[in-house]
Amino acid sequence: MAHATVSVIFLLACLAAYEAQHEPGYCSFYEECGRNPSVGNALIPPIVPCLDYSPARSLKGEHYRRLKQACPMLDRGENNTYACCSIKQIRSLEMSLTLSKAVLIRCPSCADNFAHLHCITTCSPDQSQRLRITKTMIANTSMNIEKEFVVGYEAYISKTFAEGSFQSCKNVRIPATGGFAVATMCGRYGAKLCTAQRWYDFQGDSSNGLAPLDIDFKLVPEGDTEGLPAGVFPYDGRALKCNETTPTGGEVCSCQDCQESCPSVPPPSPPAGPFTLADADGYLVICLILLCLLLFSFLFFLSVSLFLKITERRDTEGGKGKSTDKNGNEVTQRVIYPSEVTWTERNSLASQEFLGSLFQAWGTLIASHPLKVLLACAIVVIAFAIGLMHIELTTDPVQLWSAPNSRARTEKDFHDKLFDPFFRTNQLILTAPGRPGQIYDSLLFGKQNFSGLISKDLIMQLLELQTKIQNIEFWSEDLNRPASLKDVCFAPLNPSNPSLTDCAVNSLPQYFQNSVDKLNAKVNMTELGVTKEVDWRDHFIYCVNSPLSFKDITDLGMSCMADYGAPVFPFLAVGGYENDGFTSAEALILTFSLNNYARGDAKFNVALQWEKIFLDIVQEYQRNPNTNFTFAYMAERSLEDEINRTTAEDIPIFMISYAVIFVYIAVALGEYSSCKRILVDSKFLVGLGGILVVGCSVLASMGFYAWIGIPSSLVILQVVPFLVLAVGADNIFIFVLEHQRDMRRPGESREEQIGRVLGNVAPSMLLCSLSESICFFLGALTTMPAVKSFALYAALAVVMDFVLQMTAFVALLSLDARRQDGNRCELICCVTVKAQRPTQPNEGVLLPLMRKYYAPVLLHPITRIVVMVVFILMFCSSIYLMFHVTVGLDQELAMPQGSYMLDYFKYLYAYFEVGVPTYFVTTKGFDFTAVAGMNATCSSTGCDPFSLTQKIQYATEYPELSYMAIPANSWVDDFIDWLNPGSKCCRLYTLGPNAGNFCSADQSAILCGRKCMATPPNGVLRPTVEQFNRFLPDFLGNRPDLQCPKGGLGAYDKAVVRDASGEIIASRFMAYHTPLKNSQEFTAALQKVRELAHNITKSMRQIPGTSPDFEVFPYTVTYVFYEQYLTIVPEGLFNISLCLVPTFVVCCILLMDLRSGFLNLLTIVMITVDTVGVMTLWGIDYNAVALINLVTAVGISVEFVSHLTRSFALSIQPTQVDRAKEAAANMGSAVFAGVAMTNLPGIVVLAFAKAQLIQIFFFRLNLVITLLGLFHGLVFLPVLLSYFGPGVNKAILLQLQQAKAQQEQLSNHTKHIYENESYVNNEKTPEPTHNPSTQKKIPIEGVNPAGTIEEETMENTSF
């Protein structure tokens, strides 16, 4: 029976085709017969006409008016208009065109051309000459009357008309997605591969759920009649160009929808090229010139110095006064007269004597009361440290690296306050390397290359994993009830009461609505006489090319929309493809989007709990040996989790580092004069005390700032102790070594000796500590929170360290000296040894080596020249390298080695095909309700060609320069289209209790017979202020669907913020960046998008009524991290310059010598510049963490440099070379042992840390800083001082001369008294005339009894 029915149908179809006639004025079909029996599931009722070869009907009255409204191109006047369509057909045509107009109405000429074609095929009076019926079916109408249904025909169209229509529509945009409307109307081909023929083929394909019957559009070239049926003439009407007005008065299409309408816009200027001079690297040329100038200047200086020395040697033979050389021979030395001593020299000596006497008295006092001092220090430290109970540890990267008043932070706060914060992303990127691909021969799409990843079994496994994650449930203490994904998920289309299927989950299974049955679905389908099976692969191919489709073109008839109601764009489902070859993708992407709550919100903790379970499930899945995927994953909490985890794991590394430093200090401070006295002369407890002093200073600093509410950070915990240890250990070594090298004078107590030693070295310690503390306090002027808090903590820690060294450590040394004098063992104080302490001072091993070998070799004439040339070359090279240092910090460096986030970043950069979304946010002060305001924002017909959205569109045309990939969506455009009466979106109830209120598109036309707005005469619809304010809330709350895809719910409901009066106080327009892969690209993208936003702001401020403080700014979640790199170079120069100022000023004030201050500053500058140069060579990027270390470098450099500079300035050796030797040996040995050898062991341990940040910015960079400081301080600076150092302070020489003269006078007078006594004793007289003892006590005018001591003191002053 079924076979007979098919045969009858086929016979009738053939007869119909055979008997068809093609004459002018005749119709091929007329009136509606009913539903197409051959179409199953359809998105709209597939009503088809009846076969009826008859003359065209004359139209009058309502019939004529309906045709004129729907097809104005067929209007010939009321009495002269003929057509082949009934009123019912016109109504069905209008309903069909309404769906298309919803997306095409933006461009009136496109909408007109689209309607033009279907009006011709449906209503043309010469219909029979344009069509050939190819398929009919006998069926019963709704009135149960048997009729012949037309279910297929051929339409013959001029190729010129077809191409013109297609060209007018191919660039029309969908503002909500930024994509092209034609992508939804070209089936599997999408926008890129769509052509006129493919466009029309889709329109005539009844399987798409929209076409009621099959139409085979034949595009016939001009003049080609071959193959045309007799009497058929292709329709050759004129298609409007997109930059033409329509016959009904519609305006030209906008630039965004029509390239021909675009004004001439010059391309953006390319980025500036590298700096060049004479076609060479400009920086290299400048550095070479600088190198030549410095070398020439140095050689010129050597030549002049040599000439002057030769001249001076000739002119000054035989001098005034004599001194003794190394061999004890007398050499001439001129006498210093008081008139030769300058003011600065006199004040320099006075300041040194004042500081020396002050610290001597202070040291004696502290050493006399050690236990009281230690108790007082402990009380003070504890009082400060109690503040640690209130310490706030900042771990949020935003609060660490973005200043609260910075532009990016302000913009972020504005966005997050008025809009919801950027949603939380939880994502997996899955691959299956090694799986063989396959060629799938599709019935509809031809041969397609499927990668091994795009296979049914893997998609099933992905769906299983996705379902397991979606079904996460847990008990929430914050909610006091069970919680699940629906409690925290981002549900754009049902935000108030979401179910699991409302949650935004993007993945490939969403093309099948996460249904196993749909994945398994298959059906036989016939196309062009070929029957094949179609399955999930055909549906997938269709959906990735047409993600907005509600029904594919296969007989499966499945939707492509996700189960939560939104489209899944292919870049959200698959990755690692080229040129839209989605089937060859190498990665599957699974993304769960959660709402981002404020940290104080209870649901914030719920989201964290969900993400924790998400990570547990994913990690367990990864460990499963049966897993077929190789994948990477992340949760929104992952970055912070991994940073905190690696910090905790690396704490033992830091502890080991501190332990190594402690052991070194304890061992190095010992005297070790005899094996029997090792336990007596060791300084284990002194070293421990020194470490405790450093620790207490850090604790006191942290506690103080915790008291006053300044938060700390992990960077402070890691860097500040190292910094203070470097500073403190240096001072400890200088003090202890000086004490060991000093011999107690006759009649001097232990406490007085300690005070005298402190008076010698404390000014140098003060010089360094004061310079460093002021340096760090000035560094706190920066706006970067992490750097600011570090500088504050470091400054106070350095101050506290100096104070505790001057108090607690002096007291500890006094107690240790008392123990050592009593020959008691250090760790077992009750045990004494018999071996006595050596009578000679203990110089250790390092000082004699440096005095005997190192200093003479370093300051040999040839060595000095080599050193100067090498360091000048190094300095110039570093200046060149400094200009090529990479600025930025790639986020993967914040992760520890082996972190799963490193794999995620690798997969993200390799497989993700689109960049981060960015919002263009408008502030209060712009009138969107005014026509000028809408035109300045929108990009459809009638809009300003340089509007907000249009300028963003221009930027996307040059993605390599603008970093913009997808144009911005526009709620203004979609609101205008939503209001357009040509669509079905905005209607009003005409019946019932809601009469006059908004009626959604899914309601019956009987209830909603009134449009919100009338059709504008020129096609440019703009609501009045009243209409704008009335219908905007309806638009924002309208859920998009097939009948009205322009609804604003989900896309725009949170994009517009209005106050209580209805004024728009903020709105946003979302675009997309190109894929950004490193911090340099993120920074460049931020800079470009800000320039674009600034340009838009200037244009919109010119609109009448706009507030002068109105602004458009860009925002995305990453800008707040990368903004610092726009200004970090000048800010770094400012901070480092501020740090350098006190090193110069303090040195000049304490030494009263500008030259010493300048040489001190020059060496520190060279250390800093060379550090940046080595950073370039070693791949260390310049960023906020590096800046902290560079500020630290200035502080540590002070330790390497300032001690030697002061030692040289106060030395009284006759020549600069001799003074440099003395400074290099005496102070250089202490600096080497105290700074370099204290830092290096601890730094080397950091190489074993897991965190890459610690390895790079704490191990590498601190190693560089320490080594460069060591070489500059102990190699370059002595040589520099030997050439350019200040002369001997004449005030010191004058004082020595006067002391020596007084000593000689006293010696001569004493000799004279002894001679007189001898004579009297030899003479025999009856009685003495006076008491000899009285004669000894006669004061001698002008003689200082302590002259000898003064001379000795000055000779020992080498610091």
Side-chain angles (χ1 to χ4, degrees), residues 352-364:
Q352 297 305 314
E353 288 182 339
F354 171 75
L355 289 175
S357 60
L358 178 65
F359 281 112
Q360 180 175 349
W362 174 264
T364 303

Side-chain angles (χ1 to χ4, degrees), residues 896-914:
Q897 289 183 344
S899 170
Y900 65 86
M901 286 298 294
L902 294 177
D903 290 331
Y904 174 75
F905 289 129
K906 178 181 176 182
Y907 276 52
L908 181 69
Y909 299 149
Y911 298 119
F912 229 69
E913 302 295 333
V914 71

Side-chain angles (χ1 to χ4, degrees), residues 286-301:
I286 291 175
C287 291
L288 288 175
I289 294 174
L290 177 63
L291 175 64
C292 294
L293 287 175
L294 290 177
L295 290 177
F296 174 78
S297 300
F298 176 63
L299 293 177
F300 178 76
F301 169 80

